[in-house]
Amino acid sequence: MTETTATFLVTEADDDSVVMRDVDTAQVYTLDANDHELEPEMVVGATVEPVPPMDVVHEIVNLDFARHVDVVDTDLSPTTQAMNAAEDLAVGEVARIEREGTGELHVLSVPPEDTEQAAQDVLADEETLARAGRVGAVRVEVRRDADAGVLNVRYLPD
């Protein structure tokens, strides 16, 4: 049997089954049981293996962690670092800034009139949770400056 150890985003879950997506490869895994009480939008670090004889569903053989990522719509302004990075961006561009240690910062330049919709799109996007899983974040803050058309998405560690 081939085991897979990865970070997964739970996309669907009920009492009897779970669907998870590997946040790095986008490979989808279906579990035939929900023994760990996983919920949609959880980020899970686990090792899974196929269940014989068909090997089409998987089971968790080792669970390292299972957590919800806090995605927060904050009324805080983008950081000075983000505003400085935004000065070099054309509308529609994104700057990715690594944090020391764990996490990541994204700065997006959008038309000022679209700033609020862009913020709502980031907050609702499943990929925001997947990226949080990839960079080891447990909290995502979305900050905005509508006058400048700047969105600051902060993927933060513990």
Side-chain angles (χ1 to χ4, degrees), residues 41-116:
E41 299 185 349
M42 288 182 95
V43 175
V44 177
T47 301
V48 298
E49 69 180 10
V51 176
M54 301 290 285
D55 292 343
V56 294
V57 296
H58 291 75
E59 66 183 352
I60 293 177
V61 294
N62 185 44
L63 180 69
D64 293 324
F65 64 86
R67 65 176 173 248
H68 287 280
V69 174
D70 291 327
V71 179
V72 181
D73 185 6
T74 177
D75 59 358
L76 297 173
S77 298
T79 62
T80 301
Q81 179 186 29
M83 293 304 285
N84 290 340
E87 291 176 4
D88 297 329
L89 297 176
V91 171
E93 289 186 329
V94 177
R96 289 177 178 82
I97 304 167
E98 288 188 30
R99 289 179 43 96
E100 204 170 303
T102 307
E104 195 169 88
L105 307 175
H106 291 184
V107 181
L108 297 83
S109 176
V110 297
E113 65 273 12
D114 294 341
T115 305
E116 185 57 36

Side-chain angles (χ1 to χ4, degrees), residues 2-48:
T2 303
E3 289 186 347
T4 301
T5 300
T7 300
F8 303 94
L9 175 63
V10 177
T11 58
E12 296 178 39
D14 59 30
D15 292 339
D16 300 322
S17 66
V18 177
V19 178
M20 304 188 308
R21 177 171 55 98
D22 183 320
V23 299
D24 290 316
T25 67
Q27 176 70 39
V28 174
Y29 296 84
T30 301
L31 307 181
D32 66 348
N34 191 357
D35 299 331
H36 300 283
E37 299 180 7
L38 302 177
E39 300 172 2
E41 299 185 349
M42 288 182 95
V43 175
V44 177
T47 301
V48 298

Side-chain angles (χ1 to χ4, degrees), residues 108-157:
L108 297 83
S109 176
V110 297
E113 65 273 12
D114 294 341
T115 305
E116 185 57 36
Q117 184 59 54
Q120 295 309 311
D121 290 349
V122 169
L123 291 162
D125 191 354
E126 188 176 88
E127 191 55 34
T128 300
L129 295 171
R131 180 169 305 282
R134 279 194 294 279
V135 301
V138 298
R139 178 180 170 90
V140 179
E141 290 182 356
V142 178
R143 300 177 176 200
R144 63 181 80 54
D145 183 327
D147 294 333
V150 174
L151 206 60
N152 183 200
V153 184
R154 300 165 44 87
Y155 293 90
L156 305 170

